[in-house]
Amino acid sequence: MAVQGQTIYYKCRAYLFNPSDRSIHRDLGTFAWILPCVDVNYGTGTLEDEDGVTALYDTWISGCPDFHMMGNPRRFVYENDSDISMFTDFFPNCDVLPRSETNGYWLGYENLTNGHVMVKEGGTGEFTTCYGSMEDFQTETDQIWHSSDSNLSMIFFVGGTTEYTGSAVMPAYYTLEDDGNTVDKFTYVTIGGIGGLPTATNNVININSVSFDPGWTFMLNDFFGTVRTYDGSNPYEDPDAPDDGNPGDGSDRGGRGGGGDHDRRSDPLPIPGLPELGATDTGFVTLYNPTVNQLQALADKLWDSSVFDTEIFQKLFESPMDAILGLSIVPISVTGSAANCVIGNYDSGVSMIKLGSQYYELDCGSLQVSEFWGAYLDYAPYTKLMLWLPYIGFRQITPDDVMGLSVNIKYHVDVLSGSCVAYVMCDGKLIYSYQGQCSSQIPVAAHAYNNAVSGAIQLAGAVGSMIATGGMTAPLVAPGMAQTAINSMKGETQRSGGVGGTGGLMGVQKPYIVIVRPEQAVPINQNKLEGYPSLMSGPLSNFAGFTKVESIHLQGMAATEAEKNEILSLLKEGVIL
Amino acid sequence: MSFTVSLQTNTSPDNQLTKTLTDITAVTGVIRAGTSIIDPVIQIAGDVSAVTACNYMTIPTFGRSYFIRDIRSLKNGLYEITGHVDVLGTYATQIRGNSGIIQRQETKWNLYLQDAVFKQYQYGLITLKTFPSGFNTNKFVLAVAGGAV
């Protein structure tokens, strides 16, 4: 029920119908704004009369000239005896009063309470007659009566009891138009117009249906009458409304969707910096970059136990070799400063470069990946790209990511663990990253040797066997099979296994891209006989030569239906303009 | 009802809008009762060499041009011609005035659209492109316990 101060929301379905036989001329669809109690654009506002009295209105319809209004028995208005009989036949349970007592209209409105029905005669006149409280109109037999004169307005005061007079003009809310054929049809329906003047404390709901030509009638049918509280959200949205099987919303807004932000920008994502903390910061681990001679000198020292204070050393280690955590070969330049190699607490006296950090970066530079044809063939699935990354192996990348763009590769290397990460940047965007192993372990003890060998075996088997190509068992290619389907039957070739560690040391040290492109078979004059994909639009006079039409609406020709169908068929098969 | 029939020879493809026509002769024709103006059957009197040289006709009274589907001899000098309307030739101007979306075209195209009629050879084209630099050195790294002296 409407409550004073509360906004309510209605929707209804509107029809144009022929009053002579009740046939529907046009279904105007569902309107959420005809009775927009919460629509801030149309349905709510403040009226002010000449006396300065203001009132809020929710929704209103005013002005009832010669028209017919039908709905369920509790919401109807009609005009004459014949209509009454037709209506009662249609709604057999309707209880109506004889015309002599009614002198015109019946109206019921089920969702109004505590209000009064006011009737105004004339388009701009004053409301003169109060027909009583809305509480009287809550049953099926409730009705009100008023004159059959034109330009009548009926106002329902909800929550109010005072008759209101004045001359304020309500703004037009919405105009519906017909299909332009105004002969014996209505030309427009204005929902809105001159109307009622509520009191300052009343919410108003009144019905305006219009000014239109006789012969066709505007019918508001079946007020849904759902009372809702406006919560500030889009008043046109009704989350409980059924979809009615029409996913398009049927409005003149062009349907649903299409509201994307079309944002083509990418956020900047640079390659991350090298880690700030490392093992060398702890003091537990020290890294050196010895030359060959320095290593040999160190080895001589370590095998000479006479230079050790073994009593102290053996408190920490069983063997001097236990203090050697690892010796490896890394493929990257390292930096540091000269210092004696100190193992544990033993200063070997062998000077070598002591590394300042365990993390280093290598920039492999940029490569421009250019289109070969400047066509769809340059992209997946027709063109395939395999990227060779040292110490990682082959990785497949999609041409859609890199075609026509500059590709840059950078490595971050941890010389302590030998772990490396390859970053693949494309046009400044980080699009791929892969991890590998780039140090080759040199065993300095028996257990270290075993670990190095087993590690190498695991790396080699990391990515397994060759995948059978299409040539292993020739697939059956059906006539007319799409080339993309044929391409997919060719299968992928694994071009390497895992290549890290010592294997990587023996592999190619520079990244490269393997580009596999199709060899196109193009017959002479294909463009004249079959054309090339176009998707352009415009008058056919803009085109010359072989033309195959995707879609067209033929008009402006005095051809028979059969001829038009033949023209359409020929255009879609291809014609020569 | 009799009318003028222009017998012609068409050497253009049937699916070409504007035909290259050679006029052979103009005769008077009578449409057989019960036939349509889309697929007319017309009786004419004419010279056999002229009539049999034609594969196209224009009937201004009908406002249409026709492909000649068949020519039958009824009796000496009298022939019956079966035609089918050339809708492209008849309505060429109106057709050109319509707008549409083009699927394939001889001279205006977009090669970035996928082509369903594309054919390729079974062998592919393989190329390699290298990056300008890579790993170009080898260094020993010795990791020891302690040593932070």
Coordinates of all heavy atoms in Angstrom, one line a residue, chain A residues 531-571:
Chain A
G531 N 37.3 -13.5 -54.7 CA 37.5 -12.3 -53.9 C 38.3 -12.7 -52.6 O 38.6 -13.8 -52.4
Y532 N 38.5 -11.6 -51.8 CA 39.2 -11.8 -50.5 C 38.2 -11.3 -49.4 O 37.3 -10.4 -49.7 CB 40.5 -11.0 -50.5 CG 41.5 -11.6 -51.4 CD1 42.2 -10.8 -52.3 CD2 41.9 -13.0 -51.4 CE1 43.2 -11.3 -53.2 CE2 42.8 -13.5 -52.2 CZ 43.5 -12.7 -53.1 OH 44.4 -13.2 -53.9
P533 N 38.4 -11.7 -48.2 CA 37.6 -11.2 -47.1 C 37.5 -9.7 -47.0 O 38.6 -9.1 -47.1 CB 38.2 -11.9 -45.9 CG 38.9 -13.1 -46.4 CD 39.4 -12.7 -47.7
S534 N 36.3 -9.2 -46.9 CA 36.2 -7.7 -46.9 C 35.6 -7.2 -45.6 O 36.2 -6.5 -44.9 CB 35.3 -7.3 -48.1 OG 35.2 -5.9 -48.2
L535 N 34.3 -7.4 -45.4 CA 33.5 -6.9 -44.3 C 33.4 -5.4 -44.3 O 33.1 -4.7 -43.3 CB 34.2 -7.3 -42.9 CG 33.1 -7.6 -41.8 CD1 32.2 -8.7 -42.2 CD2 33.9 -7.9 -40.5
M536 N 33.6 -4.9 -45.5 CA 33.3 -3.4 -45.7 C 31.8 -3.3 -45.9 O 31.1 -4.2 -46.3 CB 34.1 -2.9 -46.9 CG 35.6 -3.0 -46.7 SD 36.5 -2.2 -48.0 CE 36.1 -0.5 -47.7
S537 N 31.3 -2.1 -45.7 CA 29.9 -1.8 -45.9 C 29.7 -0.5 -46.7 O 30.6 0.3 -46.7 CB 29.2 -1.8 -44.6 OG 29.6 -0.7 -43.8
G538 N 28.6 -0.4 -47.3 CA 28.3 0.8 -48.1 C 27.4 0.4 -49.3 O 27.0 -0.7 -49.5
P539 N 27.1 1.5 -50.1 CA 26.3 1.2 -51.3 C 27.1 0.3 -52.2 O 28.3 0.4 -52.4 CB 26.1 2.6 -51.9 CG 26.5 3.6 -50.9 CD 27.5 2.9 -49.9
L540 N 26.4 -0.6 -52.9 CA 27.1 -1.5 -53.8 C 27.7 -0.7 -55.0 O 28.6 -1.3 -55.6 CB 26.1 -2.5 -54.4 CG 25.5 -3.5 -53.3 CD1 24.7 -4.6 -53.9 CD2 26.6 -4.1 -52.4
S541 N 27.3 0.5 -55.2 CA 27.9 1.3 -56.3 C 29.3 1.7 -55.9 O 30.1 2.1 -56.8 CB 27.1 2.6 -56.5 OG 26.9 3.3 -55.3
N542 N 29.7 1.5 -54.7 CA 31.1 1.8 -54.3 C 32.0 0.7 -54.6 O 33.2 0.8 -54.4 CB 31.1 2.1 -52.7 CG 30.5 3.4 -52.4 OD1 30.1 4.2 -53.3 ND2 30.4 3.7 -51.1
F543 N 31.5 -0.4 -55.0 CA 32.3 -1.6 -55.2 C 32.3 -2.0 -56.7 O 31.3 -1.7 -57.4 CB 31.8 -2.8 -54.4 CG 31.9 -2.5 -52.9 CD1 30.7 -2.0 -52.3 CD2 33.0 -2.7 -52.1 CE1 30.7 -1.7 -50.9 CE2 33.0 -2.5 -50.8 CZ 31.9 -1.9 -50.2
A544 N 33.4 -2.6 -57.1 CA 33.5 -3.0 -58.5 C 34.1 -4.4 -58.6 O 34.9 -4.8 -57.7 CB 34.3 -2.1 -59.4
G545 N 33.7 -5.2 -59.5 CA 34.3 -6.5 -59.7 C 33.5 -7.6 -58.9 O 32.4 -7.3 -58.4
F546 N 34.1 -8.7 -58.6 CA 33.5 -9.8 -57.9 C 33.1 -9.3 -56.5 O 34.0 -8.8 -55.8 CB 34.3 -11.0 -57.9 CG 33.7 -12.1 -57.1 CD1 32.7 -12.9 -57.7 CD2 34.0 -12.4 -55.8 CE1 32.1 -14.0 -57.0 CE2 33.3 -13.4 -55.1 CZ 32.4 -14.2 -55.7
T547 N 31.9 -9.5 -56.1 CA 31.4 -9.1 -54.8 C 30.5 -10.1 -54.3 O 29.5 -10.5 -55.0 CB 30.7 -7.7 -55.0 OG1 31.5 -6.8 -55.6 CG2 30.2 -7.2 -53.6
K548 N 30.7 -10.5 -53.1 CA 29.9 -11.4 -52.4 C 29.3 -10.7 -51.2 O 30.1 -10.2 -50.4 CB 30.6 -12.7 -52.0 CG 29.8 -13.9 -51.6 CD 30.7 -15.1 -51.4 CE 29.9 -16.3 -51.0 NZ 30.8 -17.5 -50.8
V549 N 28.0 -10.7 -51.1 CA 27.4 -9.9 -50.1 C 27.1 -10.7 -48.8 O 26.6 -11.8 -48.9 CB 26.0 -9.2 -50.6 CG1 25.3 -8.5 -49.5 CG2 26.4 -8.3 -51.7
E550 N 27.4 -10.1 -47.7 CA 27.2 -10.8 -46.4 C 25.7 -10.6 -46.0 O 25.0 -11.5 -45.7 CB 28.1 -10.2 -45.3 CG 27.8 -10.7 -43.9 CD 28.5 -12.0 -43.6 OE1 29.4 -12.4 -44.3 OE2 28.1 -12.6 -42.6
S551 N 25.3 -9.4 -46.0 CA 23.9 -9.1 -45.7 C 23.4 -7.8 -46.3 O 24.3 -6.9 -46.5 CB 23.7 -9.0 -44.1 OG 24.4 -7.9 -43.6
I552 N 22.2 -7.8 -46.7 CA 21.6 -6.6 -47.4 C 20.1 -6.6 -47.2 O 19.5 -7.7 -47.2 CB 22.1 -6.6 -48.9 CG1 21.7 -5.3 -49.5 CG2 21.4 -7.7 -49.6 CD1 22.4 -5.1 -50.9
H553 N 19.5 -5.4 -47.1 CA 18.1 -5.3 -47.1 C 17.7 -4.6 -48.4 O 17.9 -3.4 -48.6 CB 17.6 -4.5 -45.9 CG 17.8 -5.2 -44.6 ND1 17.6 -4.5 -43.4 CD2 18.3 -6.4 -44.3 CE1 17.9 -5.4 -42.4 NE2 18.3 -6.5 -43.0
L554 N 17.1 -5.4 -49.3 CA 16.8 -4.9 -50.6 C 15.6 -3.9 -50.6 O 14.6 -4.3 -50.0 CB 16.5 -6.0 -51.6 CG 17.7 -6.9 -52.0 CD1 17.2 -8.0 -52.9 CD2 18.7 -6.1 -52.8
Q555 N 15.7 -2.8 -51.2 CA 14.6 -1.9 -51.2 C 14.7 -1.0 -52.5 O 15.8 -1.0 -53.1 CB 14.6 -1.0 -50.0 CG 15.9 -0.2 -49.8 CD 15.9 0.5 -48.4 OE1 14.8 0.7 -47.8 NE2 17.0 1.0 -48.0
G556 N 13.7 -0.3 -52.8 CA 13.7 0.7 -53.9 C 13.6 0.0 -55.2 O 14.1 0.6 -56.2
M557 N 13.0 -1.1 -55.3 CA 12.9 -1.8 -56.6 C 11.5 -2.4 -56.8 O 11.0 -3.0 -55.8 CB 14.0 -2.8 -56.9 CG 14.1 -3.9 -55.8 SD 15.4 -5.1 -56.2 CE 16.8 -4.1 -55.8
A558 N 11.0 -2.2 -58.0 CA 9.6 -2.8 -58.2 C 9.7 -4.2 -58.7 O 9.1 -4.5 -59.7 CB 8.9 -1.9 -59.2
A559 N 10.4 -5.0 -58.0 CA 10.6 -6.4 -58.3 C 9.5 -7.2 -57.6 O 9.1 -6.9 -56.5 CB 12.0 -6.9 -58.0
T560 N 9.2 -8.4 -58.1 CA 8.3 -9.2 -57.4 C 9.1 -9.9 -56.3 O 10.3 -9.9 -56.2 CB 7.7 -10.3 -58.4 OG1 8.8 -11.1 -58.8 CG2 7.0 -9.7 -59.6
E561 N 8.3 -10.6 -55.4 CA 8.9 -11.3 -54.3 C 9.9 -12.3 -54.8 O 11.0 -12.4 -54.2 CB 7.8 -11.9 -53.5 CG 8.2 -12.2 -52.0 CD 8.6 -10.9 -51.3 OE1 8.0 -9.8 -51.6 OE2 9.4 -11.0 -50.3
A562 N 9.5 -13.1 -55.8 CA 10.4 -14.1 -56.3 C 11.7 -13.5 -56.9 O 12.8 -14.0 -56.7 CB 9.7 -14.9 -57.4
E563 N 11.5 -12.4 -57.5 CA 12.7 -11.7 -58.1 C 13.6 -11.2 -57.0 O 14.8 -11.3 -57.1 CB 12.3 -10.6 -59.0 CG 11.6 -11.0 -60.3 CD 11.1 -9.9 -61.2 OE1 10.5 -9.0 -60.6 OE2 11.3 -9.9 -62.4
K564 N 13.0 -10.6 -56.0 CA 13.9 -10.1 -54.9 C 14.6 -11.3 -54.2 O 15.8 -11.2 -53.9 CB 13.0 -9.4 -53.9 CG 12.5 -8.0 -54.3 CD 11.8 -7.4 -53.1 CE 11.1 -6.2 -53.6 NZ 10.2 -5.6 -52.5
N565 N 13.9 -12.4 -54.0 CA 14.6 -13.5 -53.4 C 15.7 -14.0 -54.3 O 16.8 -14.4 -53.8 CB 13.6 -14.7 -53.2 CG 12.6 -14.4 -52.1 OD1 12.9 -13.5 -51.2 ND2 11.4 -15.0 -52.1
E566 N 15.5 -14.0 -55.6 CA 16.6 -14.4 -56.5 C 17.8 -13.5 -56.4 O 18.9 -13.9 -56.4 CB 16.1 -14.6 -57.9 CG 17.1 -15.2 -58.9 CD 16.6 -15.5 -60.3 OE1 15.4 -15.3 -60.5 OE2 17.4 -15.8 -61.1
I567 N 17.4 -12.2 -56.4 CA 18.5 -11.2 -56.3 C 19.3 -11.4 -55.0 O 20.6 -11.4 -55.1 CB 17.9 -9.8 -56.3 CG1 17.3 -9.5 -57.7 CG2 19.0 -8.7 -56.0 CD1 16.5 -8.2 -57.8
L568 N 18.6 -11.6 -53.9 CA 19.3 -11.8 -52.7 C 20.2 -13.0 -52.7 O 21.4 -13.0 -52.3 CB 18.3 -11.9 -51.6 CG 18.7 -11.8 -50.1 CD1 19.4 -10.4 -49.9 CD2 17.6 -12.0 -49.2
S569 N 19.7 -14.1 -53.3 CA 20.4 -15.3 -53.4 C 21.7 -15.1 -54.2 O 22.8 -15.6 -53.9 CB 19.5 -16.4 -54.0 OG 20.3 -17.6 -54.2
L570 N 21.5 -14.4 -55.4 CA 22.7 -14.2 -56.2 C 23.7 -13.3 -55.6 O 24.9 -13.5 -55.7 CB 22.2 -13.6 -57.6 CG 21.4 -14.5 -58.5 CD1 20.8 -13.8 -59.6 CD2 22.3 -15.6 -59.0
L571 N 23.3 -12.3 -54.9 CA 24.2 -11.4 -54.2 C 25.0 -12.2 -53.2 O 26.2 -11.9 -53.0 CB 23.5 -10.2 -53.5 CG 22.9 -9.2 -54.5 CD1 22.1 -8.2 -53.7 CD2 24.0 -8.5 -55.3

